[in-house]
């Protein structure tokens, strides 16, 4: 793969985070995506979120599948671990990595083709298992990389660039993720940085399976008037259920205390989510209400965005499996291979 590295030079007065890094330290190579692609805006939001959280870049493992969306990890967090896997297989590679080393922060980036078509089974199982990760689908309703075929999230009745009508009903990844057992589920729009950056920060802070469906218009194949994934449609039909801000367990990240109804939700790791609700009736911790609200708004043609479901007591797969605390690469040979006697004892316990 060829890619262009950005020059390291930057203005000496760029703001620094708690680690002394500037935003530039969280960037990657120069993007080769089409100008105006929503995916580039999501990369910028990821960079901003990691900068604001002062995450050490080498603590992040970014994984993806295949597609324009799955190319994007090259364009952010250049100093992080990265693995560009096979089409639709990111979730199982991420699960394996997370099981081998629980100390890294796992960020999975995928497309609607990657996750809702070929990788649907993988998507389902890593969410229901509670793998500790942030899983972002950059949802444009098409297979962008392979020139605009309908994906499984494309609207029924929508027309492709070539004028062909989609006859299949779409998969709503957000509703699926809630039903499957993800403990943090949000939806946003690539063009809404004010909402997306705090949502990504909250997902990164969440312990357990965090999923974000991010609508991301494909300017080459799916940004026309008939598509609900176009810039114009989302701007006109977006119903935001909450304004979200994150307060880390360690220190407060933002001082934005604008008026409005505020709800503080404590997460398992002690960090707090601050929700400023624009819709006073919306409770993200009520699973059944969240699902029916999503269905109602969808029937009315609205796209609900924001933090849609949260279980603050989310579990990590490691808790369920009772696995060793230490990353496997830090265990000694004797610990990894305790010998014949230990194996015989284990076998005997299973008879
Ligand atoms: C096993 C396999 N099947 C098919 C392909 C061809 N292919 C590459 S990307 C892609 C779809 C990508 O769509 P999506 O995940 O929505 O990403 P986007 O390009 O829209 O961001 C397909 C079908 C492949 N690379 N591997
Ligand atoms: S084809 Fe679509 S998804 Fe791919 S880079 Fe271009 S605008 Fe983005
Ligand atoms: Mg796509």
């Amino acid at each position: 793969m060829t890619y262009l590295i950005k020059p390291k030079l930057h203005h000496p007065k760029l703001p620094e985070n708690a680690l002394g890094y500037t935003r530039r330290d969280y960037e990657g190579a120069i993007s080769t995506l089409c100008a105006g692609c929503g995916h580039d805006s999501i990369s910028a939001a990821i960079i901003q979120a990691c900068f604001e959280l002062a995450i050490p870049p080498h603590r992040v493992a970014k994984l993806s599948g295949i597609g324009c969306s799955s190319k994007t990890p090259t364009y952010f967090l250049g100093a992080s671990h990265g693995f560009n896997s096979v089409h639709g297989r990111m979730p199982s590679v991420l699960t394996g990595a997370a099981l081998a080393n629980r100390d890294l922060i796992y960020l999975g980036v995928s497309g609607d083709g990657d996750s809702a078509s070929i990788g649907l089974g993988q998507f389902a199982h890593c969410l229901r298992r509670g793998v500790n990760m942030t899983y972002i689908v950059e949802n444009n309703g098409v297979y962008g990389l392979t020139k605009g075929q309908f994906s499984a999230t494309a609207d029924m009745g929508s027309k492709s660039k070539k004028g062909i009508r989609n006859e299949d009903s779409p998969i709503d990844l957000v509703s699926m993720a809630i039903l499957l057992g993800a403990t943090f589920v949000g939806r946003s729009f690539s063009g809404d940085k004010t909402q997306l950056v705090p949502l990504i920060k909250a997902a990164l802070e969440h312990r357990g399976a965090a999923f974000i469906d991010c609508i991301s218009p494909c300017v080459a194949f799916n940004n026309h008037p008939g598509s609900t994934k176009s810039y114009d449609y989302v701007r006109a039909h977006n119903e935001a259920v909450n304004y979200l801000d994150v307060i880390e367990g360690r220190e407060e990240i933002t001082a934005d205390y604008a008026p409005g109804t505020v709800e503080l939700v404590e997460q398992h790791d002690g960090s707090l989510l601050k929700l400023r609700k624009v819709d006073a009736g919306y409770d993200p911790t009520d699973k059944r209400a969240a699902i029916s609200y999503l269905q109602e708004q969808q029937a009315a043609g609205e796209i609900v965005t924001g933090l849609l479901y949260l279980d603050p007591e989310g579990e990590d797969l490691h808790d369920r499996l009772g696995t060793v605390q230490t990353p496997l690469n830090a265990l000694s040979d004797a610990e990894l291979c305790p010998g014949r006697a230990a194996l015989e004892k284990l076998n005997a316990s299973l008879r």
Side-chain angles (χ1 to χ4, degrees):
M1 190 195 294
T2 45
Y3 51 85
L4 297 168
I5 305 294
K6 284 182 194 166
K8 282 278 175 207
L9 282 174
H10 64 76
H11 192 281
K13 290 198 176 139
L14 274 187
E16 293 180 355
N17 64 15
L19 296 177
Y21 290 133
T22 70
R23 200 181 169 284
R24 297 293 312 273
D25 295 310
Y26 293 86
E27 292 179 348
I30 293 171
S31 171
T32 58
L33 302 187
C34 306
C37 176
H39 298 353
D40 277 336
S41 309
I42 301 172
S43 297
I46 291 171
I47 290 168
Q48 189 64 26
C50 293
F51 167 72
E52 288 179 17
L53 283 176
I55 290 175
H58 69 281
R59 305 294 309 141
V60 179
K62 43 180 189 164
L63 295 101
S64 61
I66 299 289
C68 298
S69 35
S70 291
K71 283 171 70 178
T72 64
T74 308
Y75 314 134
F76 59 80
L77 296 176
S80 298
H81 305 275
F83 196 98
N84 190 204
S85 73
V86 181
H87 195 25
R89 270 55 168 191
M90 176 276 285
S92 54
V93 178
L94 189 153
T95 305
L99 283 174
N101 185 351
R102 59 161 81 197
D103 281 357
L104 296 179
I105 298 163
Y106 289 93
L107 174 60
V109 176
S110 182
D112 42 313
D114 203 55
S115 282
S117 295
I118 193 168
L120 189 61
Q122 299 236 340
F123 168 81
H125 292 293
C126 79
L127 292 181
R128 89 182 170 81
R129 285 181 179 139
V131 180
N132 189 15
M133 63 178 173
T134 297
Y135 188 138
I136 300 177
V137 167
E138 305 189 344
N139 189 352
N140 53 18
V142 291
Y143 296 172
L145 189 71
T146 50
K147 304 278 177 271
Q149 301 88 347
F150 292 120
S151 81
T153 66
D155 312 298
M156 185 189 252
S158 70
K159 291 218 172 108
S160 71
K161 203 175 176 185
K162 289 191 170 167
I164 300 162
R165 197 185 126 92
N166 179 33
E167 302 296 348
D168 299 326
S169 73
I171 288 177
D172 177 24
L173 290 173
V174 153
S175 304
M176 267 191 91
I178 298 174
L179 288 169
L180 286 164
T183 45
F184 178 113
V185 179
R187 178 159 51 205
S188 192
F189 176 51
S190 59
D192 187 355
K193 221 174 176 178
T194 313
Q195 183 189 55
L196 183 57
V197 173
L199 197 61
I200 294 173
K201 284 165 69 179
L204 288 166
E205 291 278 291
H206 179 72
R207 187 157 184 276
F211 172 66
I212 299 174
D213 177 26
C214 191
I215 295 166
S216 176
C218 168
V219 292
F221 301 108
N222 201 13
N223 190 33
H224 48 77
S227 168
T228 59
K229 271 103 186 150
S230 67
Y231 282 107
D232 286 347
Y233 188 93
V234 178
R235 284 202 185 103
H237 296 83
N238 184 3
E239 154 105 0
V241 290
N242 43 41
Y243 178 87
L244 186 103
D245 223 341
V246 186
I247 301 170
E248 262 188 304
R250 298 187 292 280
E251 64 180 276
E252 189 172 306
I253 289 177
T254 173
D256 180 7
Y257 290 104
T261 315
V262 173
E263 186 175 296
L264 283 173
V265 185
E266 185 168 355
Q267 300 211 72
H268 203 256
D269 63 357
S271 64
L272 295 170
L273 294 181
K274 186 174 72 175
L275 307 175
R276 183 162 67 232
K277 299 199 165 187
V278 294
D279 177 351
Y282 193 80
D283 174 8
T285 64
D286 185 338
K287 190 182 254 196
R288 273 188 293 182
I291 291 168
S292 57
Y293 184 71
L294 283 168
Q295 302 279 313
E296 280 161 25
Q297 299 307 116
Q298 201 175 336
E302 297 289 342
I303 299 171
V304 186
T305 62
L307 177 59
L308 305 172
Y309 175 64
L310 175 71
D311 176 356
E313 297 296 319
E315 272 192 335
D316 181 350
L317 173 63
H318 283 281
D319 304 335
R320 299 179 189 170
L321 295 179
T323 46
V324 64
Q325 291 285 336
T326 315
L328 300 190
N329 63 1
L331 291 175
S332 67
D333 282 354
E335 285 167 314
L336 285 169
C337 187
R340 179 179 288 269
L343 181 64
E344 277 168 7
K345 196 174 160 198
L346 178 68
N347 282 342
S349 74
L350 298 171
R351 283 192 189 107

